[in-house]
Each structure stands twice: as structure tokens, then as C-alpha cells.
Amino acid sequence: MSDHVFIFDTTLRDGEQSPGNTMNTQEKLRVARQLELLGVDIIEAGFPIASEGDFESVRQIAKLIKNCQVAGLARANDQDIDRAWEAVKVAVHPRIHTFISTSDIHLKHQFKKTREEVLAIAIEATKRAKKYTDNVEFSAMDATRSDWDYLCAVVKAVIDAGATTVNIPDTVGYAVPHEFGELISYIRKNVSNIDKAVISVHCHNDLGLAVANSITAVHNGARQVECTINGIGERAGNASLEEIAMILKTRKTKFDADTGIISEKIFPTSRLITSITGVPVQPNKAIVGANAFAHESGIHQDGLLKAKLTYEIMTPQSVGIPKSSLILGKHSGRHAFRDRIENLGHILDEKELNQAFKRFKALSDMKKNIYDEDIEMIIMDEIYKMPERCKLVYLNVVCGNKTIPTATVKLEIEGNIVQDVGIGDGPVDAAFKVIKKLVKATSKLEKFSVNSITQDMDAQGEVFVKLSEKGLKAIGKGADTDIIVASAKAYINALNRLEYVKSKRV
Ligand code: KIV
Ligand code: ZN
């Protein structure tokens, strides 16, 4: 029988804390529910001490999820650990995940502590967490730049103190696969009580090696991999869950290890994250990119027509990419609409379904074919809204080759209606200037892009806006058959998201 590799998903913690990937509680709950359906073993729901919002999200996820363990992150100190436990204790399977750095670089420059002091802190933290639960994970941050023997001493001590999972993070994405594999082997050989804990790995992608390092660690005996959907995470991201799961499935004989991931749920989960965060996946991304299964070359197409095996190592259906995407339209009913929504990874209650269906009907009066991308936009616009401090009530723009672009905008800000008029270099610029003035925003517009969601002449325009303010960033998305309206929606969405990010800052 093959070994089980635990999949520890940190999309809602390491993923969510990276720029542009902020989610509100409602969005996090949707993601958590989808991760449960996907079959992950552990959901790291957040960092409860970071803010009231984080605490509440972790607590609600802990309440909701029944079939996965739910972990809360805590630095190695009493307050963090107590707060993490307060948030996860309602879970069916709670876990406390505590961490401290073990590399001399971090000890000297960041913590200003000796190795002996950090060892003692790690033991105390593990013992405190253990008082609350048997399920304790300890992470030795920056493990890959730590002295191997000191790292082994810390790992042994925290297992003695009660840790049941010991995580070896490549925090700065510095390791290379053969070296990381050797480190895992070294720990297995040199930590006398290692059989009492699961070895976990947590790799960042700074050198593009997060997945390769994680897989090499599994080959060398690691039995938990920490990863995120679409590989989102700090800087260049974390190891991508979908790649890890499909490597272990496609090359099973090389590892003799299984995960509990239901691979057919991978694509809908990836789409869910993209539609919530607005951060697109690169087209050539393995497993879930738009081109991951697109064969362009004539030789490949010829081979595929003769036998799929020639150039296809896994099928698109095995990762949940629908065989053909039936286009919906004016005559499609609620049933077909609900079906499509579920295939796209969204679980809506009756009220939300009615709301989305109403918008779908309105859109199908304006455009003939409704594609998956249109439906995702409807859900994002209607259902997955951030708390809306500001709403667009009315927009009118006048523009042309002999006219000064002028925008009249009416907004509802915290229940009050405000309105103004202004000019700009173009209709979008005019609209943005008026919105900015009405909202009294001080953020900087960093990026603005317009795409057509689908291919038809009546396609909706999809607009992305990126704003920054004092080191904080937020992405907004908007769609409409009118691109000026889509732009205004995206700008307002980004302003609302920025407000939310500001409210979460500790
Ligand atoms: O990258 C890292 O070291 C972490 C730890 C908190 C596990 O995210
Ligand atoms: Zn990390």
C-alpha cells in the first residue's frame, strides 16, 4: 500500500497575505468550502493574531469545515498561541501551527537571540500549544539556511515537547532540489524521535523551484506538503497545489505515495481563486493555464489524432476542465445555469442563485452568447462583493474627436449620495478623476488594463485596476458591455478593496 502525503493548503494564509490576493471573510469561507471538496487534508485558515478580521475568518472556517483539519498560525509566543487556539478550537479537527526562525541570519539580524534562546522558545511554544490540542505543528522558519545539526536539535526537542508535525520551510526559496532532498534525509537519519512526527515541507518559489523542491522532499520521506492554489503566495509564490497533486498522480510509480486530492476539482478551484482575487493565471501555467492542454503544432496534433497517448500525459478532464463548454443564452434555464456555475467551482445558495440568474437574464438580453467568463463576471460582480463603502449610482460621459471628454458621476458613499462633473484626457480619465475627487482618494493608479472577456463583437469588456497607497496594494475588477462603465466599476471595486486592506492592517 502506498503512503499518504498530507496536503496542507495555505492559500488562505500564505497565499492571501500576498499583494492583490486579499479576501474578505465571505470569500474565504467559499474558498474553504471548495478546498474541502477538493480533498485537502489541512486548511491553514489564517493568522488569528494578525487582526480582528483574520481571527473572525479563521473562527468561521473552523466552524464550517468538517472533513479537513483547520490550522491557525501563531508565532512562538503565548499571546499568538492562545489567540490561534481561541479561533480554531470550534473545529472538528483543530491544529495549532507555531513557528520561529532557526537560521543564524534571522537569529542575529531579526530576533537578536542566541541559538539556545530560540531552542528554549520553540520548546515552550510547542508545550503551550500542546496544552490545548494534540495536533501541533512546529515550523523552523528559514530552515534551509539553518545549520543542519542545530536544525536537527530543534526538531528533536519540539517532537519531545509534543509536536506531531515538523515543518521544514524553504522560506526564501533558496534551496535546490538535490540539496533539499539531502536535508530531509539528514533529518530522518539524525533526529532520533523523527518517527513520532510527520515531516512537512513548505517551499517558496523565488528560484522557480518550489514544486521541484517539495517533490524531491517527498521522494526523501516528507509526508506533508504545504502549498497553495495557483501557487499564489509571498513574492514569487508558494509551491502550487495542483502541480504537486498531479505529479504524484501522474508519476505515482516513482513515489509510491498518494494524496487525497480529487483531481477533477482542481480546475474549478483554480477558477474560483482567480475570480475572487482577480489575479489571472499565466496562460502557460502547468495544469490550470489556458494553454496547458492546447496543442498547436501540426506534428503534435497529428499524433494526438492517431492516439492521445502520443502527446498527452494526462487528460484535461482529469483536472476538471470541461470537455466542451456549452454556450448559454437567452433561452437557457435556471437548471443549466446552476449546473454551469457548479462546474465553475461556485456553490451558491438559493438567494444568491436567483440574484445571479436575474443578472444573467439581463445580460442575455444584451448579448447573444453567454460564455463561462461572462458567468464568472456575474458572480464576481453580484455575489463576491467586498464590503462596499462606495457604489456607482450614475455615470454619463461625453466624448468624441472634437469634444473635451467630460464625466458626470453620482456615487453612494456610506449611504450618502454625492455627485460631480469633471474633464479628463479621455472618457476613462475623466470618470476616474471625478470618482477620485468624490471619494477623496489618495491612492495611486498603478495599472489599468482592458480585455474583451469573450470573442464576439458584443463581448463584455473586463477591466483590471491596480491601486497602491503607502505600500498597500489592491486590485479591482469590473465588467460591462460598455467599457467606460466597466472601468468605473473596476476603479470603485479597487478603492473598496483598498479600504478593506487598510482596515486589516495591524
Ligand atoms: O515561509 C515560511 O517560512 C512560512 C512559515 C510561517 C511556515 O510561511
Ligand atoms: Zn511561507
Side-chain angles (χ1 to χ4, degrees):
M1 210 180 90
S2 58
D3 273 1
H4 184 75
V5 174
F6 290 90
I7 296 295
F8 176 109
D9 181 278
T10 184
T11 306
L12 294 173
R13 200 276 298 169
D14 224 342
E16 199 262 349
Q17 76 191 36
S18 60
N21 287 307
T22 316
M23 300 174 217
N24 64 24
T25 301
Q26 196 200 13
E27 292 169 337
K28 287 183 185 175
L29 285 163
R30 287 181 196 285
V31 172
R33 240 182 330 167
Q34 183 63 25
L35 291 172
E36 189 177 37
L37 292 177
L38 176 66
V40 309
D41 299 283
I42 302 111
I43 295 173
E44 185 162 52
F47 190 11
I49 196 102
S51 69
E52 276 303 319
D54 272 47
F55 176 85
E56 198 41 38
S57 307
V58 177
R59 205 180 63 82
Q60 289 199 31
I61 291 169
K63 244 163 99 183
L64 176 78
I65 298 301
K66 305 286 178 235
N67 299 319
C68 312
Q69 299 175 42
V70 177
L73 185 69
R75 285 165 298 192
N77 66 54
D78 294 356
Q79 298 91 307
D80 275 39
I81 292 167
D82 297 352
R83 194 80 177 134
W85 177 246
E86 235 357 83
V88 297
K89 69 179 183 194
V90 284
V92 178
H93 310 287
R95 173 181 289 199
I96 297 176
H97 175 194
T98 186
F99 71 99
I100 191 163
S101 291
T102 51
S103 71
D104 288 339
I105 302 172
H106 282 202
L107 265 54
K108 179 168 170 218
H109 299 286
Q110 192 181 4
F111 293 93
K112 312 218 181 313
K113 298 228 179 287
T114 64
R115 287 185 181 185
E116 292 69 32
E117 284 168 328
V118 164
L119 177 66
I121 293 170
I123 295 170
E124 279 320 301
T126 308
K127 283 187 177 159
R128 187 163 188 105
K130 194 73 181 181
K131 278 206 287 198
Y132 292 124
T133 171
D134 268 346
N135 191 354
V136 176
E137 170 169 343
F138 174 83
S139 282
M141 192 155 82
D142 206 19
T144 51
R145 293 190 301 167
S146 303
D147 175 82
W148 285 18
D149 289 324
Y150 175 62
L151 176 63
C152 286
V154 173
V155 169
K156 178 180 179 317
V158 294
I159 296 174
D160 278 339
T164 42
T165 301
V166 282
N167 186 32
I168 311 300
D170 185 23
T171 304
V172 291
Y174 181 69
V176 292
H178 66 277
E179 172 196 38
F180 195 52
E182 277 164 28
L183 174 58
I184 302 302
S185 280
Y186 192 84
I187 291 170
R188 287 183 71 203
K189 280 194 200 100
N190 292 285
V191 175
S192 58
N193 54 0
I194 197 68
D195 56 319
K196 295 196 170 57
V198 172
I199 301 181
S200 168
V201 290
H202 173 113
C203 298
H204 280 269
N205 206 28
D206 300 67
L207 293 172
L209 291 170
V211 169
N213 283 333
S214 306
I215 286 296
T216 311
V218 170
H219 186 59
N220 284 277
R223 287 294 175 265
Q224 175 176 292
V225 177
E226 304 198 352
C227 42
T228 60
I229 304 295
N230 298 340
I232 64 168
E234 283 278 286
R235 308 179 306 280
N238 288 61
S240 126
L241 182 149
E242 57 277 9
E243 293 175 28
I244 304 277
M246 289 314 285
I247 292 168
L248 293 177
K249 180 171 175 159
T250 311
R251 305 304 312 275
K252 190 169 169 11
T253 54
K254 290 279 161 200
F255 297 93
D256 207 18
D258 264 330
T259 71
I261 295 297
I262 299 161
S263 64
E264 291 77 11
K265 302 273 183 211
I266 285 179
F267 188 68
T269 312
S270 161
R271 292 281 284 247
L272 177 66
I273 296 296
T274 305
S275 52
I276 287 179
T277 60
V279 179
V281 165
Q282 75 200 59
N284 59 330
K285 164 86 176 61
I287 318 294
V288 291
N291 297 342
F293 293 90
H295 298 267
E296 276 289 320
S297 115
I299 296 176
H300 287 207
Q301 288 180 354
D302 173 61
L304 278 167
L305 286 172
K306 290 175 177 144
K308 288 263 189 233
L309 198 62
T310 49
Y311 291 98
E312 198 170 75
I313 59 165
M314 55 195 159
T315 65
Q317 290 75 44
S318 70
V319 299
I321 298 176
K323 214 173 194 143
S324 68
S325 212
L326 266 177
I327 300 163
L328 300 184
K330 212 180 169 69
H331 303 293
S332 308
R334 256 173 78 88
H335 189 70
F337 183 66
R338 180 201 288 269
D339 254 20
R340 179 59 51 84
I341 282 183
E342 282 173 9
N343 281 340
L344 291 170
H346 305 280
I347 310 157
L348 304 189
D349 62 29
E350 275 316 299
K351 188 168 154 251
E352 291 168 337
L353 186 76
N354 288 342
Q355 202 181 330
F357 189 62
K358 218 163 129 192
R359 174 82 180 265
F360 161 75
K361 282 290 174 191
L363 185 63
S364 62
D365 277 338
M366 284 195 279
K367 77 194 281 285
K368 193 165 156 258
N369 296 326
I370 310 283
Y371 298 91
D372 288 353
E373 292 81 351
D374 293 313
I375 294 173
E376 282 177 330
M377 265 302 162
I378 290 175
I379 292 173
M380 141 95 198
D381 241 29
E382 283 291 322
I383 316 291
Y384 297 172
K385 282 187 197 147
M386 296 300 282
E388 283 191 304
R389 180 178 168 252
C390 168
K391 286 183 200 154
L392 179 66
V393 178
Y394 172 88
L395 169 69
N396 183 49
V397 285
V398 183
C399 63
N401 65 342
K402 300 265 194 298
T403 314
I404 296 174
T406 309
T408 309
V409 182
K410 194 188 272 186
L411 300 178
E412 185 188 318
I413 304 175
E414 287 168 346
N416 302 314
I417 299 290
V418 288
Q419 137 169 356
D420 208 343
V421 60
I423 56 168
D425 290 338
V428 172
D429 186 49
F432 280 20
K433 278 187 174 140
V434 181
I435 295 169
K436 188 169 182 180
K437 192 170 154 210
L438 287 172
V439 175
K440 300 189 180 67
T442 48
S443 48
K444 193 170 148 230
L445 179 66
E446 293 223 339
K447 206 169 156 191
F448 169 77
S449 68
V450 188
N451 300 303
S452 151
I453 298 185
T454 51
Q455 62 267 44
D456 309 332
M457 278 301 284
D458 61 357
Q460 294 197 88
E462 178 188 41
V463 177
F464 281 96
V465 164
K466 190 170 174 187
L467 299 177
S468 71
E469 187 177 337
K470 296 190 186 122
L472 299 174
K473 292 192 194 310
I475 289 175
K477 223 172 154 188
D480 201 281
T481 44
D482 178 325
I483 60 160
I484 315 296
V485 176
S487 304
K489 283 183 179 173
Y491 188 46
I492 292 169
N493 182 240
L495 287 167
N496 285 331
R497 280 189 175 264
L498 196 58
E499 270 317 297
Y500 181 72
V501 175
K502 278 197 237 166
S503 74
K504 279 189 55 164
R505 184 176 235 181
V506 264

